[in-house]
Amino acid sequence: MMEGVTLNLLFFIAIVLLLDVYVFRGLSKLSVKWKFIGKRWFFITWVTVTTVLLGSLLLAVYVKIDLGLRLVIVLAFFGLLLFKACFALVLLVDDLRRLSIFIGRKRKKTSIETVETKQPPTPIPRSEFLLKAGLLAGAVPLAAFKLNMKSGLYDYQVKRHNLYLPNLPKAFDGMKLGQISDIHSGSFFDKKAVLGGVEMLLGEKPDLIFFTGDLVNEQTNEMRDYQDIFSKVKAPLGVFSSLGNHDYGDYADWASPAAKQKNLDDLVQTHKNMGWDLLRNENRRLKIGNEEIGILGIENWGELSRFPKYGRMDLAVKNTDDLPVKLLLSHDPSHWRAQVLPHYPQIDMVFAGHTHGMQFGLRTELFQWSPVEYLYNEWAGFYRESKQQIYVNVGYGFFGFRGRVGILPEITIFTLKAGPDPLQSLS
């Protein structure tokens, strides 16, 4: 559940506070050039800024606030943290340098005066050098962050994976399944780039495609300029879709409940217009020859209190007991650990989205990190527990701020394999 996430967040806050103390103490020792650093008002300002940002981060995690404001808070917090971390690195290098000199003196049993006479003259005072080096070290990654924010928005990455399913019927062995998620059409401003991503997906020639929620930001009319593009998303065995938390109109102001319902009805119709089979707490039987697997889809269900719980697994699994494999579309990955793992062991694989990888972090083949991992146990890529699996797609679109750094938009292609994962069997 969320206990592990909370412990991770508390541990992270402790690290942040230690870093904060280290940087401030380092600055205090270097205040010969900038005397204001030693003033009481500077200390109060420093503590206030840190406290406000930490409090705001906790607010963003546990309280239902505007999603755009939440992203601004998180980015401000981690932007300042990145600056301090780079500054701390410069201080640490200098501390290690001085420690090595101290140890060298002890070993050689020479006096401080003798050692100092051997040191070359410093062009500028140490305090001034470290201040300038620290400021430069902190500013460079922030400048790079700013420059690269927009360049990643439409830099679609095709992630290819083998999906091993022990009970998969032979007729489905080798089938290619594509997944996209979190389109957020209201954020787009470049139709040509969006189309380019769709063409990349179709170029993979998937037999089947899943879309796992958040077609829009707030209102269905955001799809007006993009319905024709996403209508091109077709596959021989069909396109199946589900709803995300943004699709219900919960984040917009409506004149009446009827207006909000009309918006949702229009969104459902948009899925139909594009030829997508929208699954709302229901399932479909996908048949090849005489063999079948189940495609299940639920409405949004998020464990965090600020996200809606419209999903009904009891309805989604109805009349599926005889199917050898069940694939579930569920927008919010927290649903997997909260409901699927403890109550629905018959679900083989869950396809999710929602997190966006917070559009900020680092993701390689061997390592990934993002601030969102302090909110979600599963936030990007494959996760397995016993015989059940989940894959979290970090999103096709973007929301909250026009930027992606390190966590790029994703098109996922799975090749279905009958049998156990050979890597898992070796572990």
Side-chain angles (χ1 to χ4, degrees):
M1 294 293 188
M2 295 301 294
E3 289 83 356
V5 174
T6 301
L7 288 175
N8 288 339
L9 184 61
L10 291 175
F11 177 74
F12 172 73
I13 289 174
I15 296 298
V16 169
L17 292 176
L18 288 173
L19 175 66
D20 209 59
V21 170
Y22 180 69
V23 172
F24 185 81
R25 289 191 64 184
L27 283 172
S28 298
K29 294 176 181 179
L30 304 176
S31 59
V32 176
K33 178 71 175 179
W34 293 351
K35 296 184 182 297
F36 67 85
I37 293 177
K39 301 293 184 180
R40 180 177 175 82
W41 66 264
F42 183 80
F43 171 75
I44 294 174
T45 302
W46 183 279
V47 172
T48 300
V49 170
T50 299
T51 303
V52 168
L53 283 177
L54 273 174
S56 299
L57 182 67
L58 293 173
L59 185 73
V61 172
Y62 293 109
V63 179
K64 184 176 181 179
I65 61 175
D66 178 77
L67 295 178
L69 176 60
R70 180 177 295 112
L71 279 173
V72 169
I73 290 172
V74 170
L75 287 173
F77 179 86
F78 281 97
L80 183 59
L81 180 63
L82 179 64
F83 182 88
K84 289 180 180 178
C86 293
F87 207 122
L89 184 61
V90 173
L91 294 175
L92 179 62
V93 169
D94 184 65
D95 285 342
L96 292 174
R97 178 190 66 82
R98 290 190 295 129
L99 178 62
S100 67
I101 291 175
F102 175 78
I103 293 174
R105 288 171 179 169
K106 288 293 184 181
R107 288 180 175 177
K108 294 179 180 179
K109 296 182 180 181
T110 55
S111 66
I112 295 176
E113 290 79 8
T114 303
V115 173
E116 286 184 343
T117 58
K118 295 179 181 180
Q119 300 301 314
T122 305
I124 61 175
R126 171 179 166 272
S127 61
E128 183 178 349
F129 169 77
L130 288 178
L131 278 173
K132 289 182 177 179
L135 289 173
L136 180 62
V140 167
L142 289 182
F145 176 88
K146 177 65 176 177
L147 290 173
N148 287 294
M149 274 177 56
K150 289 189 177 181
S151 65
L153 287 177
Y154 301 105
D155 187 9
Y156 300 106
Q157 304 293 300
V158 177
K159 301 287 186 178
R160 299 179 181 87
H161 302 280
N162 289 328
L163 174 54
Y164 291 91
L165 299 163
N167 297 322
L168 184 72
K170 292 298 182 181
F172 294 87
D173 189 30
M175 187 177 76
K176 292 176 71 173
L177 189 162
Q179 182 196 5
I180 57 173
S181 191
D182 298 86
I183 287 173
H184 287 284
S185 55
S187 299
F188 289 144
F189 55 88
D190 188 337
K191 290 188 68 175
K192 183 178 180 180
V194 175
L195 176 60
V198 168
E199 291 173 343
M200 287 177 67
L201 168 63
L202 297 178
E204 295 293 320
K205 294 181 169 38
D207 301 291
L208 176 69
I209 295 174
F210 290 166
F211 169 69
T212 46
D214 279 358
L215 191 63
V216 299
N217 293 343
E218 296 182 348
Q219 301 184 29
T220 301
N221 60 18
E222 297 167 15
M223 276 296 290
R224 179 181 53 218
D225 295 331
Y226 293 94
Q227 180 175 304
D228 59 332
I229 291 178
F230 289 101
S231 293
K232 299 178 186 294
V233 176
K234 306 288 186 186
L237 296 178
V239 179
F240 297 88
S241 57
S242 61
L243 296 176
N245 55 296
H246 283 261
D247 292 325
Y248 298 92
D250 289 347
Y251 306 120
D253 295 322
W254 302 100
S256 66
K260 182 181 178 182
Q261 183 60 48
K262 173 65 165 53
N263 177 76
L264 180 56
D265 293 342
D266 289 344
L267 186 132
V268 172
Q269 185 60 48
T270 298
H271 281 252
K272 292 180 180 178
N273 293 343
M274 295 188 298
W276 296 5
D277 189 354
L278 179 62
L279 302 178
R280 303 181 66 185
N281 301 324
E282 54 192 321
N283 62 75
R284 302 286 186 266
R285 288 172 174 262
L286 190 63
K287 190 171 184 179
I288 298 179
N290 295 320
E291 297 180 310
E292 294 179 312
I293 63 172
I295 311 297
L296 293 69
I298 68 162
E299 300 200 40
N300 193 84
W301 196 102
E303 186 179 19
L304 292 178
S305 60
R306 64 176 179 263
F307 296 121
K309 293 178 171 62
Y310 299 130
R312 290 281 305 275
M313 281 296 294
D314 58 322
L315 299 178
V317 300
K318 191 175 181 179
N319 299 323
T320 62
D321 290 346
D322 63 310
L323 294 170
V325 166
K326 301 171 188 66
L327 309 179
L328 174 66
L329 283 67
S330 180
H331 176 71
D332 191 318
S334 66
H335 176 243
W336 185 62
R337 192 163 293 279
Q339 279 198 341
V340 176
L341 288 180
H343 304 301
Y344 296 92
Q346 69 270 43
I347 301 298
D348 298 278
M349 176 72 184
V350 174
F351 299 84
H354 181 62
T355 70
H356 296 213
M358 203 165 273
Q359 297 169 209
F360 170 72
L362 177 64
R363 193 179 187 195
T364 69
E365 293 296 326
L366 301 176
F367 174 80
Q368 62 182 29
W369 174 88
S370 167
V372 78
E373 73 175 41
Y374 304 113
L375 300 178
Y376 290 90
N377 287 300
E378 293 78 33
W379 60 274
F382 259 118
Y383 301 86
R384 297 174 176 85
E385 191 153 317
S386 186
K387 296 181 179 180
Q388 294 178 277
Q389 304 177 73
I390 184 174
Y391 189 90
V392 185
N393 179 295
V394 296
Y396 187 92
F398 51 93
F399 177 77
F401 77 106
R402 289 186 174 186
R404 275 187 178 268
V405 178
I407 307 293
L408 300 174
E410 177 177 355
I411 297 165
T412 320
I413 302 296
F414 302 93
T415 300
L416 303 192
K417 299 285 188 179
D421 186 338
L423 295 179
Q424 291 297 108
S425 61
L426 291 175
S427 61

